[in-house]
Amino acid sequence: MKVAFIGLGTMGGPMALNVMKAGHDLIIHNRTRHKEELLAAHGAKRAASPGEAALEAEVIITSLSDTPDVEEVVLGNNGIIHGARPGSAVVDMSTISPDATRKMEQVLRAKGIKMIDAPVSGGSEGAQQGTLAIMVGGDPADVERVMPVLQAIGTKITHVGPIGAGQLTKAINQTIISGVYLSIAEGMVLGLKAGLDMDKVVEAIGVGAAGSWVLTYRSKNMIDNNYPLGFRVRLHHKDLGIALETAKKLGVTMLVAALMDQIETGIVARGYGDEDVSAVARSIREQSGID
Amino acid sequence: MKVAFIGLGTMGGPMALNVMKAGHDLIIHNRTRHKEELLAAHGAKRAASPGEAALEAEVIITSLSDTPDVEEVVLGNNGIIHGARPGSAVVDMSTISPDATRKMEQVLRAKGIKMIDAPVSGGSEGAQQGTLAIMVGGDPADVERVMPVLQAIGTKITHVGPIGAGQLTKAINQTIISGVYLSIAEGMVLGLKAGLDMDKVVEAIGVGAAGSWVLTYRSKNMIDNNYPLGFRVRLHHKDLGIALETAKKLGVTMLVAALMDQIETGIVARGYGDEDVSAVARSIREQSGID
């Protein structure tokens, strides 16, 4: 297929490369133009704007930082909407507001352009290896049509529901990990202050009801007080803001997510925003006197 | 070995049966005496008190509700201390205070009696099937000596550290699951109010960073608003009280565990204490208007 890819950052860059490796024709654009060079060297065609990138594409993928970035790239001057052909499909793989997603879809639909939301999880490692989980919202026929491209990017692809359902699912994902990280941090600090061999503790409890991905892969960071990436606090904090905003609109009380949001605000303010999310344990450690 | 087993409740009853099935000689005692009858019919010898049960035993197991129960059975009138022979070992498999455990061990040690703490996780199902996880604290030689009995009761046996380390590990376990349950409840309610197909959401996020035992095995309860056992709220609430008391003594700030404690107080007060721990989702559902 002819695929346009807009946004070649830590996630988008390797995702675009995987699309090209799967045999699709790639047209690329990035606001900071020099980031196009690596993919261009692999044979991708460069476009001067999102609108120009969209001109001949059947599928137009966006992988950007936040809601305003996607709105600008899709609807702004030189945006996708000014170049995309009727019948083409915009696949937004950023993590942004479900509401804003639905509004953009309506505007695009009025011009005959399809839109699908397809946020990912699995981090930069998953992006490089093509093993991302992809949470998809959109019309079934549209989702089916873009599936060959998604399959070049991820291995666990779930069509959850209509437009916005992918973003809502990502918001739920970011909500759920909040309490998991915080409670594991509390448990690790409790054990450290009690003088336990924490590797043995994690081994003892990891297979039962306390078991989780975070306990298996991130408790060691908290024990060592060292937080290599992983997934950046500031990105989870941004995503959690979307989840809390969505919860407020829907009328859902999320006490633990709100607590995580506040703790992350402090972690980011103190300069730890580019550490892994497990760095929220810094807050639990410090308020318990073991930094 | 000659094993005394004191406390034949939902957990202790099937655990004692598994000890007998493994070929050990069993002497039993339960405060409510008629609960001894089933095991007596299988060939266990009945004793009139904990002290009498301990008289000839090499290993004396206790499986009781809370700290005061264990203190009474070990140190009270007719307690184990008045019957147990020097060289015998008390194995407390209840979930109780780590501090009280260490104090009892000191009193017993002065009389030449060993003590090991070995709280379990895995619920009544694990007790029946002999597949409990056992978190063990005590001197290595003592732990090694009682291992054949523990192996009749559980499959995942971890010697974490010295006396009290088993109880501390259990406290960490109960701390960690607090935030996991609460955050999953928040995530499920967010999705339900957004009108998503929650089975698909759980499928989409279950393999990634949001994955956990609770998401896999208990999110369905929260979606259906129906909370079959599992593990009772009132028991987790009791255990979490021990964890919070321990954290206070050690100087550890546990915000999420404290929040869970408060929510469970309300759940128990309203008559849901015998439901599964996942019933904390009732609170999130109701405060968001979808009970």
Side-chain angles (χ1 to χ4, degrees), chain B residues 17 20 28 34-43:
Chain B
L17 189 60
M20 199 160 49
I28 53 173
H34 74 83
K35 286 198 181 169
E36 297 165 4
E37 288 162 12
L38 177 71
L39 282 152
H42 280 82

Side-chain angles (χ1 to χ4, degrees), chain A:
Chain A
M1 296 179 95
K2 278 185 182 286
V3 179
F5 205 113
I6 297 156
L8 305 170
T10 313
M11 297 298 290
M15 287 159 67
L17 189 59
N18 284 329
V19 170
M20 197 159 50
K21 280 182 182 167
H24 302 287
D25 289 336
L26 201 67
I27 310 148
I28 53 173
H29 175 75
N30 195 74
R31 190 174 48 185
T32 312
R33 299 292 310 274
H34 75 83
K35 286 197 181 171
E36 296 165 5
E37 288 163 12
L38 178 69
L39 282 152
H42 281 82
K45 193 174 150 190
R46 297 173 70 168
S49 71
E52 186 188 313
L55 280 173
E56 293 176 25
E58 297 162 88
V59 177
I60 304 138
I61 299 177
T62 51
S63 174
L64 302 159
S65 295
D66 207 346
T67 308
D69 308 300
V70 178
E71 288 172 335
E72 174 66 22
V73 159
V74 173
L75 305 178
N77 299 336
N78 304 317
I80 291 168
I81 196 166
H82 304 298
R85 295 182 301 185
S88 65
V90 174
V91 180
D92 179 35
M93 306 193 75
S94 325
T95 296
I96 68 163
S97 156
D99 267 10
T101 298
R102 281 187 288 242
K103 282 173 192 154
M104 276 187 277
E105 191 269 344
Q106 285 175 10
V107 176
L108 289 171
R109 195 184 339 142
K111 299 203 88 175
I113 303 162
K114 319 284 190 182
M115 182 167 178
I116 288 158
D117 56 316
V120 302
S121 73
S124 53
E125 203 179 326
Q128 282 157 26
Q129 298 174 352
T131 57
L132 292 168
I134 311 179
M135 295 149 267
V136 186
D139 286 342
D142 300 337
V143 173
E144 199 181 333
R145 200 156 60 96
V146 304
M147 194 56 83
V149 181
L150 296 180
Q151 283 165 343
I153 294 170
T155 44
K156 171 82 179 172
I157 303 165
T158 312
H159 181 204
V160 186
I163 184 75
Q167 296 296 352
L168 285 162
T169 301
K170 182 75 186 282
I172 292 166
N173 188 87
Q174 304 303 56
T175 295
I176 287 176
I177 68 174
S178 297
V180 182
Y181 276 100
L182 284 181
S183 272
I184 291 171
E186 292 180 1
M188 293 302 107
V189 172
L190 181 59
L192 287 167
K193 284 206 86 169
L196 296 184
D197 178 337
M198 293 310 294
D199 292 334
K200 284 195 182 157
V201 170
V202 170
E203 183 201 328
I205 66 178
V207 293
S212 65
W213 185 96
V214 177
L215 185 67
T216 302
Y217 296 109
R218 295 293 182 261
S219 57
K220 192 89 177 75
N221 292 359
M222 301 181 186
I223 296 166
D224 299 343
N225 202 25
N226 184 31
Y227 309 96
L229 296 175
F231 182 63
R232 284 172 212 277
V233 178
R234 74 169 76 254
L235 292 180
H236 180 261
H237 195 218
K238 185 269 288 183
D239 292 0
L240 193 57
I242 293 168
L244 285 162
E245 186 188 294
T246 304
K248 195 174 216 171
K249 283 180 189 161
L250 289 170
V252 179
T253 307
M254 307 211 300
L255 300 172
V256 179
L259 182 58
M260 180 69 159
D261 177 60
Q262 292 300 305
I263 287 174
E264 287 184 330
T265 294
I267 294 286
V268 171
R270 290 165 55 217
Y272 299 123
D274 290 319
E275 291 188 340
D276 183 72
V277 180
S278 48
V280 294
R282 286 186 178 280
S283 174
I284 316 297
R285 291 178 70 105
E286 287 163 15
Q287 71 199 2
S288 305
I290 56 157
D291 47 88

Side-chain angles (χ1 to χ4, degrees), chain B residues 71-271:
Chain B
E71 288 173 333
E72 175 65 22
V73 158
V74 173
L75 304 178
N77 298 334
N78 305 314
I80 291 167
I81 196 167
H82 304 299
R85 295 181 302 184
S88 64
V90 174
V91 180
D92 179 35
M93 305 192 75
S94 325
T95 296
I96 69 165
S97 155
D99 268 10
T101 297
R102 282 189 286 243
K103 283 174 191 154
M104 277 186 277
E105 191 270 344
Q106 284 176 10
V107 177
L108 289 171
R109 195 185 339 143
K111 299 202 90 179
I113 304 162
K114 319 284 190 183
M115 183 166 176
I116 288 159
D117 57 315
V120 301
S121 73
S124 53
E125 201 179 326
Q128 283 157 25
Q129 298 175 352
T131 57
L132 292 167
I134 310 180
M135 295 149 264
V136 186
D139 285 342
D142 301 338
V143 172
E144 198 181 334
R145 199 155 61 93
V146 304
M147 195 55 84
V149 182
L150 297 181
Q151 283 165 341
I153 293 170
T155 44
K156 172 81 179 172
I157 303 165
T158 311
H159 181 204
V160 185
I163 185 73
Q167 295 296 352
L168 285 163
T169 302
K170 183 73 186 282
I172 293 166
N173 187 85
Q174 303 302 56
T175 296
I176 288 175
I177 68 174
S178 297
V180 182
Y181 276 101
L182 284 181
S183 273
I184 291 172
E186 291 179 1
M188 293 302 109
V189 172
L190 181 58
L192 287 167
K193 285 206 86 169
L196 295 185
D197 177 337
M198 293 310 293
D199 292 335
K200 284 197 182 155
V201 170
V202 170
E203 183 201 329
I205 66 178
V207 294
S212 64
W213 186 96
V214 177
L215 185 67
T216 302
Y217 296 110
R218 295 292 182 264
S219 58
K220 192 89 178 74
N221 292 358
M222 301 179 186
I223 296 165
D224 297 343
N225 202 26
N226 183 32
Y227 308 96
L229 297 174
F231 182 62
R232 284 173 212 277
V233 178
R234 73 168 76 254
L235 293 180
H236 180 261
H237 195 217
K238 186 268 290 182
D239 293 359
L240 194 57
I242 293 168
L244 285 163
E245 186 188 293
T246 304
K248 196 174 214 171
K249 282 179 189 161
L250 290 169
V252 179
T253 305
M254 307 212 299
L255 300 173
V256 179
L259 181 60
M260 179 69 159
D261 177 60
Q262 293 300 305
I263 288 174
E264 287 184 329
T265 294
I267 293 286
V268 171
R270 291 164 54 217

